[in-house]
Amino acid sequence: MQDLSLHILDIAENSIAAGATEIRIKIVEDTGKNLLLLEISDNGKGMDSKTVQQITDPFFTTKTVRKVGLGIPLLAQAARECCGDLTIKTEKGKGTTISACFQCDHVDRKPLGDICNTLIVLIASNPEIDFIFEHRKDDDVYTLNIADIRKELDGVPLNTPEVIKIIKDDISAWLIIANNMLQ
Amino acid sequence: MARLTIEDLKKIKDKQKATFSLREGGYRAKVTVHMGTCGIAAGAREVMTVLLDEIAQSKAEDVITTTSGCAGLCAREPMVTVELLNKPPVKYGDLNKEKIREIFKEHVLGGNPVEKYALVVGSETTY
Ligand SMILES: Nc1ncnc2c1ncn2[C@@H]1O[C@H](COP(=O)(O)OP(=O)(O)O)[C@@H](O)[C@H]1O
Ligand code: FES
Ligand SMILES: [Mg+2]
């Protein structure tokens, strides 16, 4: 996995597979603390404690199609490679939160990558899911709440190309500002 | 919501309401991009991004996209399944930007499956 935006997509796909109707994606960049935090939480079916125990074992998956679960172990590895870690909070029937933290300026820290396309792919292909995206960069914060947008649309499908376009423009505009803040 | 304004959404809403019945009747084509871990690592997100661009450019309002999980065939990722109304699904593999563009034009818009990229036609359980 080349960058963190692809990991986010992969972890969010787990939430979709778990039947989530609401998925929160949170990115926190704290330059002062030299910390990068990713958090994906959902209201899907959750996991029992046995699954959680097995989950960081790279030879485990509950799927029958293929023998190895890869997604979570790969993100855990990416975090540990830069003095970070991955934690799983989950309750059967309630939902799951996957958090990964990274030392921001670590040489091995993967770049965030194309966050915009990750969000657009998720939103356009799952128009019934309430995605909430929050990106904090030091004192600045951007939030995108799909449930609010859906309300405004009043029955017009969220995956209408024109709607997707304005959502994409909105995220891009924020990311340009956020990236400029870096320098 | 940062800059995206209520007025922007309202404009789209009013315009779309007029043509809405077109979509209400269901979709003519559904394209599923396999978004398992291997698929994502092999470029599935880019394939989906190209698809969304093509749909927007061609104004194909009756085409929808969705994602599915692991398809159990890592080596052939990125993979896509194209389903046209009343036609058997066609599964494609080893895709990239150029191939998915060709499949979109020929198969999704034109109705003719692109045999050279097809893995399976019909049942999902052939392999
Ligand atoms: N958000 C989630 N909700 C419920 N179960 C999950 C969630 N994320 C992961 N799981 C469980 O953990 C397993 C391992 O996930 P992962 O490492 O991504 O591998 P894979 O998705 O390929 O199986 C999944 O098969 C699933 O059973
Ligand atoms: S993720 Fe590798 S075959 Fe499914
Ligand atoms: Mg997974």
Side-chain angles (χ1 to χ4, degrees):
Chain A
M1 222 52 99
Q2 281 171 340
D3 59 50
L4 298 178
S5 70
L6 292 174
H7 282 287
I8 292 173
L9 177 58
D10 188 37
I11 299 298
E13 287 289 335
N14 284 343
S15 302
I16 295 166
T21 57
E22 184 181 289
I23 302 175
R24 290 173 182 266
I25 297 172
K26 189 166 152 184
I27 302 173
V28 179
E29 295 177 79
D30 188 328
T31 338
K33 288 188 184 145
N34 192 14
L35 189 76
L36 172 67
L37 178 82
L38 304 181
E39 197 171 274
I40 293 95
S41 39
D42 67 56
N43 63 352
K45 68 180 180 193
M47 293 172 257
D48 55 29
S49 51
K50 191 164 158 255
T51 311
V52 181
Q53 259 176 18
Q54 289 170 310
I55 214 167
T56 38
D57 174 350
F59 296 102
F60 173 78
T61 177
T62 58
K63 285 199 316 277
T64 48
V65 195
R66 187 176 45 96
K67 287 288 171 287
V68 278
L70 271 179
I72 293 175
L74 278 177
L75 179 56
Q77 188 192 359
R80 286 182 197 126
E81 275 170 5
C82 30
C83 305
D85 207 357
L86 178 136
T87 52
I88 302 170
K89 266 188 269 166
T90 183
E91 198 179 331
K92 195 126 184 83
K94 290 264 165 64
T96 302
T97 299
I98 306 282
S99 321
C101 63
F102 304 79
Q103 181 189 315
C104 215
D105 68 357
H106 197 286
V107 282
D108 292 325
R109 208 260 295 165
K110 292 184 193 181
L112 271 178
D114 193 342
I115 296 295
C116 185
N117 271 331
T118 280
L119 292 170
I120 290 302
V121 161
L122 285 168
I123 294 165
S125 303
N126 304 278
E128 70 293 346
I129 294 180
D130 289 338
F131 285 97
I132 299 164
F133 173 61
E134 180 184 329
H135 188 175
R136 281 183 186 278
K137 185 135 189 182
D138 296 323
D139 293 334
D140 278 274
V141 60
Y142 170 83
T143 39
L144 179 80
N145 187 330
I146 293 301
D148 287 347
I149 294 177
R150 188 182 294 104
K151 238 178 276 161
E152 290 303 325
L153 284 169
D154 188 27
V156 171
L158 200 82
N159 54 355
T160 304
E162 270 188 81
V163 176
I164 293 301
K165 185 178 181 303
I166 65 161
I167 295 174
K168 189 170 187 169
D169 290 347
D170 200 65
I171 302 168
S172 305
W174 152 255
L175 287 173
I176 288 168
I177 297 169
N179 290 334
N180 285 338
M181 268 156 42
L182 204 66
Q183 277 98 52
Chain B
M1 214 186 308
R3 281 146 208 94
L4 201 161
T5 65
I6 305 292
E7 287 83 82
D8 286 335
L9 291 169
K10 205 173 167 308
K11 246 182 269 165
I12 293 177
K13 184 181 79 184
D14 293 342
K15 196 174 143 216
Q16 289 291 328
K17 281 278 180 188
T19 53
F20 190 36
S21 53
L22 192 76
R23 294 168 72 87
E24 257 177 334
Y27 301 95
R28 187 184 54 82
K30 182 167 96 175
V31 186
T32 305
V33 180
H34 301 256
M35 286 280 173
T37 304
C38 305
I40 293 171
R45 185 185 66 186
E46 190 168 50
V47 166
M48 178 64 95
T49 302
V50 169
L51 265 174
L52 293 173
D53 286 348
E54 291 290 334
I55 291 172
Q57 272 168 35
S58 61
K59 308 219 183 314
E61 300 251 326
D62 53 356
V63 179
I64 59 159
T65 64
T66 183
T67 60
S68 71
C70 167
L73 209 64
C74 295
R76 308 305 296 273
E77 301 280 5
M79 289 176 17
V80 157
T81 305
V82 176
E83 291 169 83
L84 300 188
L85 206 62
N86 305 322
K87 295 268 166 59
V90 180
K91 196 178 285 256
Y92 295 101
D94 306 307
L95 297 182
N96 57 29
K97 281 194 210 177
E98 288 70 35
K99 290 181 188 174
I100 190 65
R101 271 203 191 95
E102 194 176 333
I103 291 166
F104 183 79
K105 294 209 165 84
E106 293 296 319
H107 189 181
V108 178
L109 293 183
N112 305 308
V114 185
E115 265 167 53
K116 59 185 172 184
Y117 305 142
L119 297 175
V120 200
V121 181
S123 163
E124 292 269 295
T125 55
T126 308
Y127 55 82

